[in-house]
Amino acid sequence: MYKSLAYATFLLGISVPSQALTLQKYLSFVSDNHPEILALDATTGQYGADIQYADGAYDAKLDHNSFSRVAGYYDGLQASQKFSKPLEAYNAEIFSEYRISHGDFPVYEQQYATLSGGEASLGVKLSLLKGRDTDKNRTAMASARLKYKMWSEEAKLAQSEFYYSAILAYLDWVESVSYYNKIEQLVEAGVNRQDGIKRRVAEGDIAEIELLEFETRLLERQVTLLSAERKVQANIQKLRYYMHSNASLNDIQNAPSSDATNMTWPIAFKNVMHAEVSSNHPALAAKAYEMQELKQKMRLATVDLLPKLDVEAKLARDIGSGPTSLQDTEAKIGLYFSMPFERSQAKAKKSRTQFEINALEQKTNALQQSIDAKLQERLINLTYAKRLHNMQKKQVVLSRQLFEREQRQFEFGSSDFFMLNNREVDAFQADLKALTARINVFREELAIMKLNAQLDHEFIQHTLL
């Protein structure tokens, strides 16, 4: 199939890649702006925007307020501008204000009156109990940053899952192409042998039924070849998805595959294959960040049980001419106190958060045990896969020796086609089993890397250097 496709491509004037589609070359296509990776990056941007939104609670602001009496006995008008800046410490707020008024005000609005040049003031507000150590805004800021870190770990898991599927598709393709090539060799050997058998039948050396038997077996091989070609085409479609728009169908079909018998992992892959779950495993790290977020909620719930005691200090000075009572510098200190007696909601919130912490601790323990158990299972599978591959290689050697001896006996006339075909099929099946066993070793090693979440985008990029 690949020879005929390459020849047809040459006739059409299409350039044919001369390099094999190695794993590293394949990954260079996969990692180049694939939609799934870009979607993860976009989600990361959303969490970054959440941090900016939470920080916005401490943005400075400018307020303007004014009014004018357009009718009535009094003609007073007033305008004020206030600059304020919230601070994280002590839930504080610093502010400065300038206001000016003109005209007469009724006695119940004398607070608006200023000297002719207006009044300038500055002050500060502080929380002494509830809201002093933390509040909703500070908790929201900490939560946004922890969620960003948590998503970063979850993104590594998603990336590792994506590249695992992509590499698994590559292994399937290599296996199917190698399988196809071996069957193609078996069919070519049968076709080359067909003329000799026809000649021997014509000469009367063997019965005609043996030719019929041969042609039946040859047709079976051709059917198997067609089935193998279908499987190759199906795997090519998988590769096209992961390679995205970076390679056309012709590029994949015409590129020779890496031989499964000579395929090896890149050095970077070998360095991360180990038998222990890292303490920095993204799934466990995400749970750790989630625990920190719950502890922030618990801290806020504890603070909410306290009474509210706020203090405000303000200095004001009028400028210009006017009533004597407004000419001195004013200093004000105000207190605000509030305490609900039962505090049922705050207690319920704290209790619920504690249960959430307890639940997360157990989920984290279960996750740790699950990862450990799955890793040990994969290590056992890998051990048996390697042993099976070694045994299959020995079986290949023995099956080939039996076929070669049977072939010599057939040429000397001391064996029949039935035995020769059986020996050839046995040798072919041994080759296929050894091929599958070798690919299964790669699959188990790949599963271990995926289980340890090593196949993230950064690691793949490092592999390509």
Side-chain angles (χ1 to χ4, degrees):
M1 180 187 71
Y2 280 84
K3 293 178 181 177
S4 60
L5 282 173
Y7 179 69
T9 307
F10 171 76
L11 292 178
L12 293 173
I14 303 174
S15 62
V16 180
S18 58
Q19 296 182 349
L21 184 59
T22 62
L23 178 59
Q24 286 179 298
K25 185 176 181 181
Y26 167 70
L27 288 176
S28 69
F29 288 129
V30 175
S31 61
D32 185 16
N33 295 328
H34 193 280
E36 288 196 33
I37 299 299
L38 294 179
L40 294 174
D41 291 342
T43 304
T44 301
Q46 295 175 36
Y47 281 94
D50 289 343
I51 293 177
Q52 183 181 10
Y53 182 86
D55 291 348
Y58 290 93
D59 288 347
K61 65 177 180 177
L62 179 67
D63 295 317
H64 176 85
N65 183 32
S66 63
F67 71 85
S68 175
R69 294 182 182 276
V70 296
Y73 179 80
Y74 297 98
D75 60 351
L77 56 88
Q78 183 264 350
S80 66
Q81 285 188 337
K82 181 179 180 181
F83 171 84
S84 59
K85 170 65 176 176
L87 302 176
E88 293 183 46
Y90 288 89
N91 191 30
E93 178 184 288
I94 56 174
F95 60 89
S96 63
E97 183 179 9
Y98 175 78
R99 63 188 185 89
I100 189 170
S101 65
H102 178 73
D104 295 328
F105 294 92
V107 66
Y108 52 82
E109 290 183 355
Q110 286 300 307
Q111 72 271 17
Y112 295 126
T114 66
L115 295 183
S116 60
E119 178 194 79
S121 63
L122 57 88
V124 62
K125 297 178 182 178
L126 301 171
S127 293
L128 301 180
L129 291 177
K130 181 178 180 180
R132 182 188 64 181
D133 297 328
T134 189
D135 57 20
K136 290 183 178 180
N137 290 335
R138 279 175 281 178
T139 301
M141 289 175 59
S143 178
R145 283 163 172 77
L146 289 171
K147 285 181 178 179
Y148 180 88
K149 293 178 181 179
M150 185 164 57
W151 164 250
S152 297
E153 301 300 331
E154 292 174 351
K156 290 180 182 178
L157 291 173
Q159 291 168 3
S160 187
E161 192 73 37
F162 168 76
Y163 282 112
Y164 168 76
S165 299
I167 298 173
L168 199 60
Y170 178 82
L171 293 178
D172 291 342
W173 175 69
V174 170
E175 181 184 21
S176 64
V177 171
S178 300
Y179 183 87
Y180 174 88
N181 290 337
K182 289 184 180 298
I183 297 177
E184 189 177 39
Q185 293 172 6
L186 191 64
V187 171
E188 289 178 355
V191 171
N192 294 335
R193 195 180 297 131
Q194 189 174 26
D195 291 338
I197 293 177
K198 287 181 178 180
R199 185 173 58 253
R200 292 182 64 180
V201 169
E203 294 173 353
D205 289 346
I206 58 177
E208 187 174 354
I209 192 172
E210 292 207 23
L211 175 60
L212 182 61
E213 173 73 17
F214 174 84
E215 290 177 342
T216 301
R217 300 306 173 205
L218 179 59
L219 183 60
E220 289 178 355
R221 295 178 182 182
Q222 291 172 334
V223 170
T224 304
L225 180 65
L226 184 62
S227 177
E229 182 178 345
R230 179 197 61 79
K231 193 170 184 179
V232 170
Q233 291 297 329
N235 286 321
I236 285 176
Q237 299 307 315
K238 292 181 183 179
L239 294 190
R240 288 185 67 193
Y241 168 73
Y242 288 108
M243 295 172 75
H244 189 37
S245 59
N246 297 311
S248 66
L249 178 61
N250 284 336
D251 291 335
I252 304 174
Q253 286 179 328
N254 296 328
S257 69
S258 299
D259 189 354
T261 58
N262 298 323
M263 179 181 168
T264 59
W265 289 122
I267 296 176
F269 278 62
K270 296 178 182 179
N271 293 337
V272 298
M273 278 187 231
H274 47 75
E276 295 181 359
V277 178
S278 171
S279 58
N280 296 323
H281 192 285
L284 298 176
K287 292 296 183 184
Y289 288 128
E290 187 178 355
M291 179 62 73
Q292 292 182 36
E293 183 186 7
L294 286 178
K295 288 182 178 179
Q296 289 289 334
K297 289 176 61 178
M298 174 60 76
R299 186 183 178 197
L300 178 62
T302 302
V303 169
D304 283 344
L305 290 171
L306 298 174
K308 187 170 183 62
L309 178 60
D310 293 348
V311 61
E312 177 179 350
K314 178 180 178 182
L315 288 175
R317 176 74 180 184
D318 280 76
I319 306 168
S321 60
T324 306
S325 61
L326 299 177
Q327 291 180 358
D328 291 334
T329 300
E330 291 185 337
K332 297 180 181 178
I333 295 180
L335 289 175
Y336 173 83
F337 179 79
S338 174
M339 183 180 71
F341 288 107
E342 297 180 355
R343 295 175 292 178
S344 299
Q345 291 183 337
K347 291 178 180 178
K349 185 176 181 180
K350 182 178 180 180
S351 177
R352 177 182 175 81
T353 304
Q354 183 60 57
F355 283 121
E356 289 178 354
I357 291 175
N358 295 341
L360 183 58
E361 287 177 347
Q362 299 306 318
K363 288 179 181 179
T364 303
N365 292 336
L367 178 61
Q368 175 75 65
Q369 295 175 18
S370 175
I371 295 175
D372 289 338
K374 289 179 180 178
L375 179 59
Q376 294 305 314
E377 178 185 355
R378 285 297 181 180
L379 289 172
I380 292 173
N381 290 344
L382 178 60
T383 300
Y384 280 95
K386 289 181 177 179
R387 291 176 59 185
L388 182 60
H389 178 231
N390 291 331
M391 295 177 69
Q392 290 294 345
K393 288 193 295 185
K394 295 178 181 178
Q395 183 68 25
V396 168
V397 175
L398 294 175
S399 297
R400 286 178 180 173
Q401 290 176 352
L402 283 174
F403 170 64
E404 290 170 357
R405 292 181 182 181
E406 195 68 42
Q407 190 173 27
R408 285 195 295 268
Q409 291 180 0
F410 179 78
E411 292 172 353
F412 292 141
S414 58
S415 178
D416 56 22
F417 169 74
F418 179 77
M419 286 299 300
L420 177 64
N421 182 72
N422 284 344
R423 296 299 188 194
E424 189 175 32
V425 170
D426 287 345
F428 169 70
Q429 293 293 340
D431 273 342
L432 293 184
K433 289 180 180 179
L435 168 67
T436 300
R438 178 170 175 77
I439 294 296
N440 284 340
V441 171
F442 283 100
R443 289 190 177 109
E444 292 300 332
E445 290 173 340
L446 182 65
I448 290 175
M449 286 187 282
K450 192 262 289 190
L451 193 58
N452 282 323
Q454 298 286 358
L455 302 172
D456 58 78
H457 188 66
E458 182 180 356
F459 169 76
I460 296 298
Q461 291 293 327
H462 175 71
T463 303
L464 301 176
L465 296 179

